[in-house]
Amino acid sequence: MSTLIKSLAGLGLGAALTLTAGSAMAEGGCGTFTNADGVVEHLACSTAPIDFTNKGSLQNGAKIFMNYCAGCHSAKYVRHSRIAKDLEIPPELVEKYLMVTTDQIGDHINAEIDPDVQASWFGAAPPDLSLETRLRGDDWVYTYLLSFYEDPSRPWGSNNLVLANAAMPHVLHNMQEELSADEFKSEVGDLVNYMAWMAEPVRHDRKVIGFFVILFLLVLLIPVYLLNKEYWKDVK
């Protein structure tokens, strides 16, 4: 994908790209685009590295989110205190490094910029990101963040393969310039991992509990079956 993006940027084909993410998502992908030859090509989703047991990844993702996203986007269903507790970050470190829009650790993550002002800047107010991965899917968000490319025709100088003419600028551009391709993908993976946790903090616990509930029901099926046979053995 990175090779494709660089090629498109180098050839200046931003204006020729058209994407239909909605229909492609129905087909299990992240969109389609029209190449230089006018052929519609399918854009497959990259698999997001979601792992709620990797606290280091979640902690790094929280740092990236607060530094690169929280200035414009809110996450109104998430409290800073929940980040400290669930991600095992000492509260004093959360207060010092992660609370960029408030001075109360019990507050939610709210962007402090007037939505009307943001709309005048970007053409639309940035959405709340609390549930973005549940709305779009982990893989969609991951692929979207990896799919920005240079496009001088756009107001912010960038466009996106997954979401054509996205109002959002490529806020991770400096990070991408400073890191290798693999390092950048790792950082974006941590960010999406954190966003997935943010959207459903109990996802991992839910899956673990669900596994044991199903296992319990399967074991319970044995005595229930035998008891049923015992009750009905004399019925002709």
Side-chain angles (χ1 to χ4, degrees):
M1 181 179 296
S2 60
T3 302
L4 173 61
I5 294 171
K6 290 180 180 178
S7 299
L8 290 169
L11 294 173
L13 298 178
L17 288 171
T18 57
L19 294 151
T20 54
S23 61
M25 283 297 289
E27 299 172 1
C30 277
T32 59
F33 66 92
T34 303
N35 65 21
D37 298 322
V39 178
V40 176
E41 295 189 23
H42 178 72
L43 180 65
C45 286
S46 299
T47 302
I50 305 302
D51 181 5
F52 287 9
T53 65
N54 188 341
K55 297 298 183 182
S57 170
L58 292 171
Q59 292 167 1
N60 186 49
K63 180 191 71 175
I64 296 171
F65 183 89
M66 297 309 297
N67 280 280
Y68 289 91
C69 307
C72 293
H73 293 277
S74 62
K76 61 186 179 182
Y77 300 121
V78 183
R79 295 181 186 272
H80 294 86
S81 55
R82 183 68 182 268
I83 295 174
K85 179 181 177 181
D86 284 17
L87 305 191
E88 300 175 3
I89 305 175
E92 58 271 19
L93 294 183
V94 171
E95 293 175 349
K96 184 175 181 180
Y97 297 110
L98 299 183
M99 288 168 45
V100 298
T101 60
T102 182
D103 57 1
Q104 299 294 324
I105 196 168
D107 285 350
H108 297 88
I109 301 173
N110 291 309
E112 294 300 314
I113 304 177
D114 188 331
D116 293 333
V117 174
Q118 291 180 312
S120 68
W121 291 348
F122 305 116
D128 182 272
L129 295 182
S130 302
L131 304 175
E132 189 69 14
T133 58
R134 296 192 69 179
L135 172 66
R136 300 282 194 173
D138 303 333
D139 294 345
W140 189 97
V141 174
Y142 180 62
T143 307
Y144 168 75
L145 292 175
L146 291 175
S147 297
F148 281 93
Y149 63 93
E150 295 179 8
D151 182 356
S153 69
R154 296 295 298 155
W156 298 99
S158 64
N159 211 326
N160 194 280
L161 284 172
V162 174
L163 187 62
N165 299 326
M168 174 181 163
H170 185 13
V171 295
L172 302 178
H173 178 266
N174 289 341
M175 179 192 293
Q176 187 174 20
E177 290 291 307
E178 295 169 359
L179 302 176
S180 68
D182 288 341
E183 289 172 335
F184 179 67
K185 288 185 67 175
S186 177
E187 292 292 287
V188 173
D190 288 347
L191 172 59
V192 176
N193 194 27
Y194 167 76
M195 291 179 65
W197 168 85
M198 190 168 62
E200 190 180 3
V202 299
R203 183 200 291 192
H204 175 70
D205 293 338
R206 171 175 58 78
K207 290 182 177 180
V208 172
I209 293 172
F211 170 79
F212 284 106
V213 168
I214 296 299
L215 182 62
F216 169 77
L217 292 176
L218 289 174
V219 174
L220 183 63
L221 181 62
I222 298 173
V224 169
Y225 172 74
L226 295 176
L227 184 61
N228 181 71
K229 286 189 63 176
E230 181 65 22
Y231 279 154
W232 290 91
K233 67 179 181 179
D234 297 324
V235 177
K236 302 297 183 180

